[in-house]
Amino acid sequence: MTDTAAAFPLRLRIAALKPGRVLGFLILACGAWAVVFPYVWMISSSLKPTDEVYDADFTIWPKTFAGVQNYWDVLVGQPYPMFLFNSLIVCVGILAVQLITAVPAAYALAKLRFRGQTILLGTVVACLTIPINVTSIPLYLGVVKAGLLDTYLSMMLPFLVSVFAIFLFRQFFQAYPDSIIQAARVDGFSEIEIVLRLIVPAAIPAVAAFSVFSIVAHWNDLYWPLIVVQSQEKMTASLSMMQYRSEFDTNYGRTFAAATVVSIPMLIVFLFARRAFVRGITMSGVKG
């Protein structure tokens, strides 16, 4: 305990709090609970039998504990390591290509001057508003024609170029000092060397922030894998949760147990990258 804490007991420190600060704390606490409660509800439901999940008399701890059976059916009854491995391959493959394509494009939009630059930037921003549902039919027909159905490439193909990554990195790169880039050019650096040796090392927070966005989005994606995956061997973790749904009913206990297992890797990724994630979002948003 510090000297200040010892000099002012907890009761006196609470009494000295201003009403505005207490109100702000309560609002933040309510917001935090609203964010955390769905995850608590998911874990609670994963420990219950199906008929108790939507019971009107809701309790956090199950009246009939079915957690062992639910998690046993998920972890032993189904090849979940294979499903998680499939999701890992898809997410890492998408992220690698997105970074390779987005970083040079963002650098060109932020630091180079060429004809049509404004139109190109406007096109990038406009593409942010187009959902994948609009382009899913021509993409599916293209995948079928190319014979790529039920492959890792078919799951990655629509997401290999990310306009969101281009826009995010462009906002970050704009804050990079032009004087350093000019000095590098005078020293004989090519534009590729400037990107790889100067820009990318300085953009690690932005890369970390986008990596979290990309991995979480494609790890949780259910729409596109549901279209192109046809076998259990290529099934992703999020898609695997559909196995507990039949034409007549859904085993909600096992579904929530599977959802808990699937969400744990994303929770670990965020906990490891949270500092760089917050820093990257702040820098790209404030300095852009």
Short mmCIF file of all heavy atoms in Angstrom, two decimals, residues 194-252:
data_model
loop_
_atom_site.label_atom_id
_atom_site.label_comp_id
_atom_site.label_asym_id
_atom_site.label_seq_id
_atom_site.Cartn_x
_atom_site.Cartn_y
_atom_site.Cartn_z
N ILE A 194 12.10 2.05 -49.38
CA ILE A 194 11.51 3.00 -48.42
C ILE A 194 10.33 2.37 -47.69
O ILE A 194 10.19 2.50 -46.47
CB ILE A 194 11.07 4.30 -49.16
CG1 ILE A 194 12.29 5.06 -49.66
CG2 ILE A 194 10.22 5.17 -48.25
CD1 ILE A 194 11.95 6.25 -50.53
N VAL A 195 9.51 1.65 -48.45
CA VAL A 195 8.34 1.00 -47.83
C VAL A 195 8.77 -0.07 -46.83
O VAL A 195 8.29 -0.13 -45.69
CB VAL A 195 7.42 0.39 -48.92
CG1 VAL A 195 6.33 -0.47 -48.28
CG2 VAL A 195 6.80 1.49 -49.75
N LEU A 196 9.72 -0.93 -47.28
CA LEU A 196 10.10 -2.09 -46.45
C LEU A 196 10.99 -1.71 -45.27
O LEU A 196 10.87 -2.28 -44.18
CB LEU A 196 10.81 -3.13 -47.31
CG LEU A 196 9.96 -3.78 -48.42
CD1 LEU A 196 10.78 -4.78 -49.22
CD2 LEU A 196 8.73 -4.46 -47.83
N ARG A 197 11.89 -0.73 -45.44
CA ARG A 197 12.89 -0.43 -44.41
C ARG A 197 12.50 0.76 -43.52
O ARG A 197 13.04 0.91 -42.43
CB ARG A 197 14.25 -0.18 -45.06
CG ARG A 197 14.77 -1.40 -45.83
CD ARG A 197 16.06 -1.13 -46.56
NE ARG A 197 17.14 -0.77 -45.65
CZ ARG A 197 18.38 -0.48 -46.04
NH1 ARG A 197 18.69 -0.51 -47.35
NH2 ARG A 197 19.31 -0.17 -45.16
N LEU A 198 11.60 1.61 -44.00
CA LEU A 198 11.22 2.79 -43.20
C LEU A 198 9.74 2.77 -42.80
O LEU A 198 9.40 2.93 -41.63
CB LEU A 198 11.53 4.06 -43.99
CG LEU A 198 12.99 4.31 -44.35
CD1 LEU A 198 13.13 5.59 -45.17
CD2 LEU A 198 13.84 4.39 -43.10
N ILE A 199 8.86 2.61 -43.80
CA ILE A 199 7.43 2.78 -43.54
C ILE A 199 6.86 1.62 -42.72
O ILE A 199 6.19 1.83 -41.70
CB ILE A 199 6.65 2.90 -44.88
CG1 ILE A 199 7.13 4.13 -45.66
CG2 ILE A 199 5.16 2.97 -44.61
CD1 ILE A 199 6.80 5.45 -45.03
N VAL A 200 7.14 0.38 -43.15
CA VAL A 200 6.55 -0.78 -42.47
C VAL A 200 6.98 -0.88 -41.01
O VAL A 200 6.14 -1.10 -40.12
CB VAL A 200 6.87 -2.07 -43.25
CG1 VAL A 200 6.46 -3.30 -42.44
CG2 VAL A 200 6.15 -2.06 -44.59
N PRO A 201 8.29 -0.73 -40.68
CA PRO A 201 8.65 -0.79 -39.25
C PRO A 201 7.95 0.27 -38.40
O PRO A 201 7.64 0.02 -37.23
CB PRO A 201 10.17 -0.57 -39.27
CG PRO A 201 10.60 -1.04 -40.61
CD PRO A 201 9.48 -0.66 -41.54
N ALA A 202 7.71 1.45 -38.99
CA ALA A 202 7.01 2.50 -38.24
C ALA A 202 5.51 2.26 -38.15
O ALA A 202 4.83 2.86 -37.32
CB ALA A 202 7.27 3.86 -38.90
N ALA A 203 5.00 1.37 -39.01
CA ALA A 203 3.55 1.15 -39.06
C ALA A 203 3.14 -0.12 -38.32
O ALA A 203 2.02 -0.61 -38.55
CB ALA A 203 3.11 1.07 -40.53
N ILE A 204 3.98 -0.65 -37.46
CA ILE A 204 3.64 -1.88 -36.75
C ILE A 204 2.32 -1.76 -35.96
O ILE A 204 1.49 -2.68 -35.99
CB ILE A 204 4.79 -2.28 -35.80
CG1 ILE A 204 6.02 -2.68 -36.63
CG2 ILE A 204 4.40 -3.43 -34.90
CD1 ILE A 204 5.80 -3.85 -37.56
N PRO A 205 2.06 -0.64 -35.26
CA PRO A 205 0.76 -0.53 -34.57
C PRO A 205 -0.43 -0.63 -35.52
O PRO A 205 -1.43 -1.29 -35.21
CB PRO A 205 0.83 0.85 -33.90
CG PRO A 205 2.28 1.12 -33.75
CD PRO A 205 2.94 0.52 -34.95
N ALA A 206 -0.32 0.03 -36.68
CA ALA A 206 -1.42 -0.04 -37.65
C ALA A 206 -1.56 -1.45 -38.20
O ALA A 206 -2.68 -1.94 -38.40
CB ALA A 206 -1.18 0.95 -38.79
N VAL A 207 -0.43 -2.12 -38.46
CA VAL A 207 -0.48 -3.51 -38.94
C VAL A 207 -1.12 -4.42 -37.89
O VAL A 207 -1.95 -5.28 -38.23
CB VAL A 207 0.94 -4.00 -39.30
CG1 VAL A 207 0.93 -5.49 -39.61
CG2 VAL A 207 1.49 -3.22 -40.49
N ALA A 208 -0.75 -4.21 -36.62
CA ALA A 208 -1.35 -5.02 -35.55
C ALA A 208 -2.84 -4.78 -35.44
O ALA A 208 -3.63 -5.73 -35.28
CB ALA A 208 -0.65 -4.71 -34.23
N ALA A 209 -3.25 -3.51 -35.54
CA ALA A 209 -4.68 -3.19 -35.44
C ALA A 209 -5.46 -3.85 -36.58
O ALA A 209 -6.50 -4.48 -36.36
CB ALA A 209 -4.87 -1.68 -35.47
N PHE A 210 -4.93 -3.72 -37.80
CA PHE A 210 -5.64 -4.33 -38.93
C PHE A 210 -5.63 -5.85 -38.83
O PHE A 210 -6.60 -6.51 -39.21
CB PHE A 210 -5.01 -3.88 -40.25
CG PHE A 210 -5.60 -4.62 -41.43
CD1 PHE A 210 -6.89 -4.34 -41.85
CD2 PHE A 210 -4.89 -5.62 -42.07
CE1 PHE A 210 -7.45 -5.05 -42.91
CE2 PHE A 210 -5.45 -6.33 -43.11
CZ PHE A 210 -6.73 -6.04 -43.54
N SER A 211 -4.52 -6.42 -38.35
CA SER A 211 -4.44 -7.88 -38.22
C SER A 211 -5.54 -8.40 -37.31
O SER A 211 -6.16 -9.44 -37.59
CB SER A 211 -3.07 -8.28 -37.68
OG SER A 211 -2.04 -7.89 -38.57
N VAL A 212 -5.79 -7.69 -36.20
CA VAL A 212 -6.86 -8.11 -35.29
C VAL A 212 -8.21 -8.04 -36.00
O VAL A 212 -9.03 -8.97 -35.93
CB VAL A 212 -6.87 -7.24 -34.03
CG1 VAL A 212 -8.10 -7.53 -33.17
CG2 VAL A 212 -5.60 -7.48 -33.22
N PHE A 213 -8.45 -6.91 -36.71
CA PHE A 213 -9.71 -6.78 -37.45
C PHE A 213 -9.88 -7.92 -38.46
O PHE A 213 -10.94 -8.55 -38.54
CB PHE A 213 -9.73 -5.44 -38.21
CG PHE A 213 -10.15 -4.28 -37.37
CD1 PHE A 213 -9.37 -3.14 -37.29
CD2 PHE A 213 -11.34 -4.31 -36.65
CE1 PHE A 213 -9.75 -2.06 -36.52
CE2 PHE A 213 -11.74 -3.24 -35.88
CZ PHE A 213 -10.94 -2.11 -35.81
N SER A 214 -8.82 -8.17 -39.24
CA SER A 214 -8.91 -9.16 -40.32
C SER A 214 -9.11 -10.57 -39.77
O SER A 214 -10.01 -11.30 -40.22
CB SER A 214 -7.63 -9.10 -41.17
OG SER A 214 -7.64 -10.11 -42.15
N ILE A 215 -8.29 -10.96 -38.80
CA ILE A 215 -8.37 -12.32 -38.28
C ILE A 215 -9.72 -12.58 -37.61
O ILE A 215 -10.36 -13.61 -37.85
CB ILE A 215 -7.22 -12.58 -37.29
CG1 ILE A 215 -5.89 -12.62 -38.05
CG2 ILE A 215 -7.43 -13.89 -36.54
CD1 ILE A 215 -4.68 -12.75 -37.16
N VAL A 216 -10.19 -11.62 -36.81
CA VAL A 216 -11.49 -11.81 -36.13
C VAL A 216 -12.62 -11.90 -37.16
O VAL A 216 -13.50 -12.75 -37.06
CB VAL A 216 -11.73 -10.66 -35.13
CG1 VAL A 216 -13.16 -10.72 -34.60
CG2 VAL A 216 -10.75 -10.73 -33.99
N ALA A 217 -12.58 -11.01 -38.18
CA ALA A 217 -13.66 -11.00 -39.18
C ALA A 217 -13.72 -12.32 -39.94
O ALA A 217 -14.81 -12.89 -40.13
CB ALA A 217 -13.44 -9.84 -40.15
N HIS A 218 -12.58 -12.83 -40.38
CA HIS A 218 -12.59 -14.05 -41.20
C HIS A 218 -12.68 -15.31 -40.35
O HIS A 218 -13.12 -16.35 -40.83
CB HIS A 218 -11.37 -14.07 -42.11
CG HIS A 218 -11.34 -12.90 -43.05
ND1 HIS A 218 -12.33 -12.70 -43.99
CD2 HIS A 218 -10.48 -11.85 -43.17
CE1 HIS A 218 -12.08 -11.58 -44.66
NE2 HIS A 218 -10.97 -11.04 -44.17
N TRP A 219 -12.24 -15.24 -39.10
CA TRP A 219 -12.44 -16.37 -38.20
C TRP A 219 -13.92 -16.59 -37.93
O TRP A 219 -14.40 -17.71 -37.86
CB TRP A 219 -11.69 -16.13 -36.89
CG TRP A 219 -11.68 -17.30 -35.96
CD1 TRP A 219 -12.65 -17.66 -35.07
CD2 TRP A 219 -10.65 -18.29 -35.83
NE1 TRP A 219 -12.29 -18.79 -34.40
CE2 TRP A 219 -11.06 -19.20 -34.84
CE3 TRP A 219 -9.41 -18.47 -36.46
CZ2 TRP A 219 -10.28 -20.29 -34.46
CZ3 TRP A 219 -8.63 -19.56 -36.09
CH2 TRP A 219 -9.07 -20.44 -35.10
N ASN A 220 -14.66 -15.48 -37.79
CA ASN A 220 -16.08 -15.58 -37.47
C ASN A 220 -16.97 -15.66 -38.71
O ASN A 220 -18.19 -15.79 -38.58
CB ASN A 220 -16.51 -14.36 -36.63
CG ASN A 220 -15.84 -14.33 -35.28
OD1 ASN A 220 -15.53 -15.37 -34.72
ND2 ASN A 220 -15.61 -13.14 -34.76
N ASP A 221 -16.37 -15.54 -39.90
CA ASP A 221 -17.18 -15.50 -41.12
C ASP A 221 -17.91 -16.83 -41.32
O ASP A 221 -17.30 -17.90 -41.32
CB ASP A 221 -16.28 -15.20 -42.31
CG ASP A 221 -17.10 -15.06 -43.60
OD1 ASP A 221 -18.30 -14.72 -43.49
OD2 ASP A 221 -16.55 -15.28 -44.69
N LEU A 222 -19.20 -16.74 -41.50
CA LEU A 222 -20.02 -17.94 -41.75
C LEU A 222 -20.60 -17.92 -43.15
O LEU A 222 -20.83 -18.96 -43.75
CB LEU A 222 -21.14 -18.01 -40.71
CG LEU A 222 -22.07 -19.22 -40.76
CD1 LEU A 222 -21.30 -20.50 -40.48
CD2 LEU A 222 -23.21 -19.06 -39.77
N TYR A 223 -20.79 -16.71 -43.69
CA TYR A 223 -21.53 -16.56 -44.96
C TYR A 223 -20.80 -17.20 -46.13
O TYR A 223 -21.34 -18.09 -46.79
CB TYR A 223 -21.74 -15.07 -45.23
CG TYR A 223 -22.43 -14.78 -46.54
CD1 TYR A 223 -23.80 -15.00 -46.68
CD2 TYR A 223 -21.73 -14.28 -47.63
CE1 TYR A 223 -24.44 -14.75 -47.88
CE2 TYR A 223 -22.35 -14.02 -48.83
CZ TYR A 223 -23.71 -14.26 -48.95
OH TYR A 223 -24.34 -14.00 -50.14
N TRP A 224 -19.53 -16.80 -46.41
CA TRP A 224 -18.84 -17.29 -47.59
C TRP A 224 -18.41 -18.76 -47.46
O TRP A 224 -18.60 -19.53 -48.41
CB TRP A 224 -17.64 -16.39 -47.89
CG TRP A 224 -16.95 -16.75 -49.18
CD1 TRP A 224 -15.71 -17.27 -49.32
CD2 TRP A 224 -17.49 -16.64 -50.51
NE1 TRP A 224 -15.43 -17.49 -50.64
CE2 TRP A 224 -16.50 -17.13 -51.39
CE3 TRP A 224 -18.70 -16.21 -51.03
CZ2 TRP A 224 -16.69 -17.16 -52.77
CZ3 TRP A 224 -18.90 -16.26 -52.41
CH2 TRP A 224 -17.91 -16.72 -53.25
N PRO A 225 -17.88 -19.21 -46.31
CA PRO A 225 -17.60 -20.65 -46.20
C PRO A 225 -18.83 -21.53 -46.37
O PRO A 225 -18.73 -22.63 -46.91
CB PRO A 225 -17.01 -20.79 -44.77
CG PRO A 225 -16.41 -19.47 -44.50
CD PRO A 225 -17.34 -18.48 -45.16
N LEU A 226 -20.01 -21.03 -45.96
CA LEU A 226 -21.24 -21.81 -46.12
C LEU A 226 -21.56 -22.02 -47.60
O LEU A 226 -22.18 -23.00 -47.98
CB LEU A 226 -22.40 -21.08 -45.44
CG LEU A 226 -23.72 -21.82 -45.26
CD1 LEU A 226 -23.52 -23.07 -44.43
CD2 LEU A 226 -24.76 -20.92 -44.62
N ILE A 227 -21.06 -21.10 -48.47
CA ILE A 227 -21.33 -21.20 -49.90
C ILE A 227 -20.35 -22.13 -50.60
O ILE A 227 -20.73 -22.94 -51.44
CB ILE A 227 -21.28 -19.79 -50.54
CG1 ILE A 227 -22.43 -18.93 -50.00
CG2 ILE A 227 -21.35 -19.86 -52.06
CD1 ILE A 227 -22.39 -17.49 -50.47
N VAL A 228 -19.06 -22.04 -50.26
CA VAL A 228 -18.04 -22.73 -51.06
C VAL A 228 -17.52 -24.03 -50.44
O VAL A 228 -16.90 -24.83 -51.13
CB VAL A 228 -16.85 -21.79 -51.34
CG1 VAL A 228 -17.29 -20.60 -52.17
CG2 VAL A 228 -16.18 -21.34 -50.05
N VAL A 229 -17.76 -24.24 -49.14
CA VAL A 229 -17.27 -25.47 -48.50
C VAL A 229 -18.30 -26.58 -48.66
O VAL A 229 -19.49 -26.38 -48.40
CB VAL A 229 -16.97 -25.22 -47.00
CG1 VAL A 229 -16.65 -26.54 -46.30
CG2 VAL A 229 -15.82 -24.26 -46.85
N GLN A 230 -17.85 -27.76 -49.11
CA GLN A 230 -18.77 -28.86 -49.36
C GLN A 230 -18.42 -30.13 -48.57
O GLN A 230 -19.19 -31.07 -48.58
CB GLN A 230 -18.78 -29.19 -50.87
CG GLN A 230 -19.29 -28.05 -51.72
CD GLN A 230 -19.31 -28.40 -53.20
OE1 GLN A 230 -18.44 -29.13 -53.66
NE2 GLN A 230 -20.27 -27.87 -53.93
N SER A 231 -17.26 -30.16 -47.92
CA SER A 231 -16.88 -31.37 -47.19
C SER A 231 -16.48 -31.01 -45.76
O SER A 231 -16.12 -29.85 -45.47
CB SER A 231 -15.70 -32.05 -47.89
OG SER A 231 -14.53 -31.25 -47.79
N GLN A 232 -16.53 -32.00 -44.88
CA GLN A 232 -16.15 -31.76 -43.49
C GLN A 232 -14.65 -31.49 -43.37
O GLN A 232 -14.22 -30.79 -42.47
CB GLN A 232 -16.53 -32.97 -42.63
CG GLN A 232 -16.43 -32.68 -41.14
CD GLN A 232 -16.75 -33.90 -40.29
OE1 GLN A 232 -16.25 -34.98 -40.55
NE2 GLN A 232 -17.58 -33.71 -39.28
N GLU A 233 -13.84 -32.02 -44.31
CA GLU A 233 -12.38 -31.86 -44.23
C GLU A 233 -11.96 -30.41 -44.41
O GLU A 233 -10.90 -29.99 -43.95
CB GLU A 233 -11.68 -32.72 -45.29
CG GLU A 233 -11.67 -34.21 -45.01
CD GLU A 233 -13.04 -34.83 -45.17
OE1 GLU A 233 -13.88 -34.24 -45.90
OE2 GLU A 233 -13.30 -35.89 -44.58
N LYS A 234 -12.76 -29.61 -45.12
CA LYS A 234 -12.43 -28.20 -45.35
C LYS A 234 -13.30 -27.26 -44.49
O LYS A 234 -13.28 -26.05 -44.67
CB LYS A 234 -12.63 -27.85 -46.83
CG LYS A 234 -11.59 -28.50 -47.74
CD LYS A 234 -10.20 -27.97 -47.45
CE LYS A 234 -9.17 -28.52 -48.44
NZ LYS A 234 -9.05 -29.99 -48.39
N MET A 235 -14.05 -27.81 -43.58
CA MET A 235 -14.96 -27.00 -42.77
C MET A 235 -14.19 -26.11 -41.80
O MET A 235 -13.24 -26.56 -41.15
CB MET A 235 -15.90 -27.93 -41.99
CG MET A 235 -17.12 -27.26 -41.41
SD MET A 235 -18.24 -28.48 -40.72
CE MET A 235 -18.98 -29.13 -42.20
N THR A 236 -14.59 -24.85 -41.69
CA THR A 236 -13.94 -23.94 -40.74
C THR A 236 -14.60 -24.06 -39.37
O THR A 236 -15.67 -24.65 -39.23
CB THR A 236 -14.04 -22.49 -41.24
OG1 THR A 236 -15.42 -22.15 -41.38
CG2 THR A 236 -13.33 -22.31 -42.57
N ALA A 237 -13.98 -23.44 -38.38
CA ALA A 237 -14.47 -23.58 -37.00
C ALA A 237 -15.86 -22.98 -36.85
O ALA A 237 -16.73 -23.57 -36.21
CB ALA A 237 -13.49 -22.91 -36.04
N SER A 238 -16.07 -21.78 -37.42
CA SER A 238 -17.40 -21.16 -37.28
C SER A 238 -18.45 -21.97 -38.02
O SER A 238 -19.58 -22.12 -37.55
CB SER A 238 -17.35 -19.72 -37.80
OG SER A 238 -16.95 -19.70 -39.16
N LEU A 239 -18.10 -22.50 -39.19
CA LEU A 239 -19.06 -23.28 -39.95
C LEU A 239 -19.41 -24.60 -39.26
O LEU A 239 -20.51 -25.12 -39.41
CB LEU A 239 -18.49 -23.56 -41.35
CG LEU A 239 -19.41 -24.24 -42.37
CD1 LEU A 239 -20.65 -23.40 -42.61
CD2 LEU A 239 -18.67 -24.49 -43.67
N SER A 240 -18.46 -25.12 -38.50
CA SER A 240 -18.68 -26.41 -37.84
C SER A 240 -19.83 -26.35 -36.82
O SER A 240 -20.42 -27.39 -36.50
CB SER A 240 -17.40 -26.86 -37.14
OG SER A 240 -17.09 -25.99 -36.07
N MET A 241 -20.13 -25.17 -36.32
CA MET A 241 -21.21 -25.06 -35.33
C MET A 241 -22.56 -25.38 -35.94
O MET A 241 -23.53 -25.67 -35.22
CB MET A 241 -21.23 -23.65 -34.72
CG MET A 241 -20.04 -23.39 -33.80
SD MET A 241 -20.17 -21.83 -32.93
CE MET A 241 -20.03 -20.68 -34.28
N MET A 242 -22.66 -25.33 -37.28
CA MET A 242 -23.93 -25.65 -37.94
C MET A 242 -24.27 -27.13 -37.84
O MET A 242 -25.40 -27.53 -38.13
CB MET A 242 -23.84 -25.26 -39.42
CG MET A 242 -23.60 -23.78 -39.67
SD MET A 242 -25.03 -22.77 -39.28
CE MET A 242 -26.16 -23.26 -40.56
N GLN A 243 -23.27 -27.96 -37.46
CA GLN A 243 -23.51 -29.40 -37.38
C GLN A 243 -24.52 -29.77 -36.30
O GLN A 243 -25.11 -30.84 -36.36
CB GLN A 243 -22.20 -30.13 -37.07
CG GLN A 243 -21.17 -29.99 -38.16
CD GLN A 243 -19.91 -30.74 -37.80
OE1 GLN A 243 -19.54 -31.69 -38.46
NE2 GLN A 243 -19.27 -30.31 -36.73
N TYR A 244 -24.70 -28.89 -35.32
CA TYR A 244 -25.61 -29.22 -34.21
C TYR A 244 -27.03 -28.74 -34.48
O TYR A 244 -27.85 -28.68 -33.59
CB TYR A 244 -25.08 -28.61 -32.92
CG TYR A 244 -23.67 -29.06 -32.63
CD1 TYR A 244 -22.61 -28.17 -32.74
CD2 TYR A 244 -23.40 -30.38 -32.31
CE1 TYR A 244 -21.32 -28.60 -32.51
CE2 TYR A 244 -22.12 -30.81 -32.09
CZ TYR A 244 -21.08 -29.91 -32.18
OH TYR A 244 -19.79 -30.34 -31.97
N ARG A 245 -27.26 -28.34 -35.74
CA ARG A 245 -28.59 -27.89 -36.12
C ARG A 245 -29.18 -28.86 -37.14
O ARG A 245 -28.55 -29.18 -38.14
CB ARG A 245 -28.50 -26.49 -36.76
CG ARG A 245 -29.83 -25.93 -37.22
CD ARG A 245 -29.62 -24.57 -37.86
NE ARG A 245 -30.87 -24.02 -38.33
CZ ARG A 245 -30.97 -22.88 -39.02
NH1 ARG A 245 -29.87 -22.19 -39.28
NH2 ARG A 245 -32.12 -22.43 -39.41
N SER A 246 -30.38 -29.36 -36.86
CA SER A 246 -31.05 -30.27 -37.79
C SER A 246 -32.30 -29.58 -38.31
O SER A 246 -32.58 -28.43 -38.00
CB SER A 246 -31.42 -31.57 -37.08
OG SER A 246 -32.41 -31.33 -36.10
N GLU A 247 -33.07 -30.33 -39.13
CA GLU A 247 -34.28 -29.76 -39.72
C GLU A 247 -35.34 -29.49 -38.67
O GLU A 247 -36.18 -28.63 -38.83
CB GLU A 247 -34.81 -30.72 -40.79
CG GLU A 247 -36.00 -30.18 -41.57
CD GLU A 247 -36.44 -31.15 -42.67
OE1 GLU A 247 -35.74 -32.16 -42.86
OE2 GLU A 247 -37.47 -30.88 -43.29
N PHE A 248 -35.29 -30.23 -37.58
CA PHE A 248 -36.38 -30.15 -36.60
C PHE A 248 -35.98 -29.45 -35.31
O PHE A 248 -36.82 -28.91 -34.61
CB PHE A 248 -36.89 -31.56 -36.28
CG PHE A 248 -37.36 -32.30 -37.50
CD1 PHE A 248 -36.57 -33.28 -38.08
CD2 PHE A 248 -38.58 -32.00 -38.09
CE1 PHE A 248 -37.00 -33.97 -39.20
CE2 PHE A 248 -39.01 -32.67 -39.22
CZ PHE A 248 -38.22 -33.67 -39.79
N ASP A 249 -34.73 -29.49 -34.94
CA ASP A 249 -34.35 -28.85 -33.69
C ASP A 249 -32.86 -28.50 -33.73
O ASP A 249 -32.13 -28.86 -34.66
CB ASP A 249 -34.65 -29.74 -32.49
CG ASP A 249 -33.85 -31.03 -32.54
OD1 ASP A 249 -33.25 -31.31 -33.59
OD2 ASP A 249 -33.83 -31.75 -31.53
N THR A 250 -32.42 -27.78 -32.70
CA THR A 250 -31.02 -27.39 -32.57
C THR A 250 -30.54 -27.73 -31.17
O THR A 250 -31.24 -27.43 -30.20
CB THR A 250 -30.86 -25.87 -32.82
OG1 THR A 250 -31.34 -25.57 -34.13
CG2 THR A 250 -29.41 -25.46 -32.70
N ASN A 251 -29.37 -28.37 -31.08
CA ASN A 251 -28.81 -28.67 -29.77
C ASN A 251 -28.03 -27.43 -29.31
O ASN A 251 -26.86 -27.25 -29.63
CB ASN A 251 -27.88 -29.88 -29.85
CG ASN A 251 -27.50 -30.38 -28.48
OD1 ASN A 251 -27.22 -29.59 -27.58
ND2 ASN A 251 -27.51 -31.69 -28.29
N TYR A 252 -28.72 -26.56 -28.56
CA TYR A 252 -28.12 -25.28 -28.19
C TYR A 252 -26.97 -25.43 -27.20
O TYR A 252 -26.03 -24.66 -27.21
CB TYR A 252 -29.20 -24.36 -27.61
CG TYR A 252 -30.16 -23.86 -28.66
CD1 TYR A 252 -31.47 -24.34 -28.70
CD2 TYR A 252 -29.77 -22.92 -29.59
CE1 TYR A 252 -32.36 -23.90 -29.67
CE2 TYR A 252 -30.66 -22.48 -30.56
CZ TYR A 252 -31.95 -22.97 -30.59
OH TYR A 252 -32.82 -22.55 -31.55
#
